[in-house]
């Protein structure tokens, strides 16, 4: 017969459970050992524990905090994973911005020369195809002349006195800005109107 403080599979039982077993044996009388099944032992232990027990309340609080922390950790990991997938192309698209700038410059300076008319058609088509492809991946140009100045998407590199425009209006677009979905890749460089 196993020792009295060893339960099934050599697991040590608590002093409270041992006390319950001893009481049950004494109640049975004659000093004979009475077998108490696991469920009965748990019920008797639960009945003896005080529901307002501070140790139990602390243990429940720690368990709930651990569950909440684990849930927050899972949500944060999922959010980071979603952002990583969503903005995975950011580095490549940022590297393509100088190419778009050069196409803009070629069109801007070529429009003044009649000899470049046929070449401009090809450059415009190339620019349109590239912008359409990048737009499918979430890249959008920002900044236009005539719109109100917004420090969230514009970078003012100069100011002009323009009585024909309201104050803090974009006078000229020096370099187009770009946004990838909700994230600004590069602000538009502009000149802004100011009062006289």
């Amino acid at each position: 017969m196993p020792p009295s403080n060893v339960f099934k599979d050599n697991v040590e039982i608590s002093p409270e459970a041992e006390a319950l077993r001893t009481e049950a044996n004494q109640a049975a009388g004659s000093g004979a050992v009475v077998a108490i099944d696991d469920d009965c032992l748990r019920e008797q232990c639960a009945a003896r524990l005080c529901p307002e027990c501070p140790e139990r309340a602390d243990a429940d609080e720690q368990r709930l905090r651990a569950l909440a922390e684990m849930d927050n950790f899972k949500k944060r990991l999922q959010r980071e994973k979603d952002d990583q997938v969503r903005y995975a192309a950011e580095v490549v698209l940022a590297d393509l911005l100088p190419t778009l700038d050069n196409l803009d410059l070629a069109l801007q300076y070529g429009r003044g020369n009649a000899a470049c008319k046929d070449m401009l058609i090809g450059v415009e088509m190339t620019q349109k195809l590239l912008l359409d492809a990048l737009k499918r991946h979430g890249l959008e140009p920002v900044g236009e002349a005539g719109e109100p100045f917004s420090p969230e998407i514009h970078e003012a590199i100069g100011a002009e006195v323009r009585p024909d425009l309201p104050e803090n209006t974009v006078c000229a677009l020096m370099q187009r800005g770009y946004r990838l979905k909700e994230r600004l890749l590069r602000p538009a460089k502009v000149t802004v109107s100011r009062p006289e």
Side-chain angles (χ1 to χ4, degrees), residues 3-58:
S4 64
N5 67 337
V6 176
F7 201 61
K8 285 186 194 175
D9 301 324
N10 293 330
V11 175
E12 190 172 332
I13 60 174
S14 69
E16 292 85 9
E18 187 62 38
L20 285 172
R21 178 176 287 169
T22 304
E23 283 179 19
N25 287 339
Q26 289 173 355
S30 72
V33 175
V34 176
I36 300 176
D37 67 343
D38 296 344
D39 293 332
C40 180
L41 190 58
R42 281 192 192 98
E43 287 174 18
Q44 289 179 4
C45 285
R48 283 195 171 200
L49 287 177
C50 174
E52 293 85 26
C53 179
E55 287 84 13
R56 179 178 178 182
D58 287 346

Side-chain angles (χ1 to χ4, degrees), residues 78-174:
Q78 185 63 41
R79 196 171 40 248
E80 288 173 0
K81 179 183 171 191
D82 291 345
D83 280 350
Q84 186 178 13
V85 168
R86 188 172 192 175
Y87 297 108
E90 181 175 3
V91 175
V92 174
L93 295 177
D95 287 343
L96 288 174
L97 296 184
T99 305
L100 291 171
D101 293 339
N102 288 335
L103 289 172
D104 279 339
L105 287 173
L107 291 172
Q108 182 181 358
Y109 292 113
R111 286 192 178 111
N113 191 344
C116 297
K117 182 180 176 185
D118 292 333
M119 184 188 70
L120 284 178
I121 293 171
V123 173
E124 284 175 346
M125 290 172 52
T126 303
Q127 182 189 38
K128 183 182 180 325
L129 288 172
L130 184 57
L131 282 173
D132 288 345
L134 295 176
K135 192 174 284 190
R136 286 192 298 271
H137 292 280
L139 187 75
E140 297 175 4
V142 294
E144 290 293 331
E147 66 185 10
F149 176 78
S150 170
E152 290 142 9
I153 61 170
H154 299 116
E155 179 183 338
I157 59 172
E160 295 179 31
V161 176
R162 294 282 302 264
D164 59 323
L165 291 174
E167 186 179 353
N168 288 328
T169 301
V170 174
C171 298
L173 179 66
M174 302 306 206

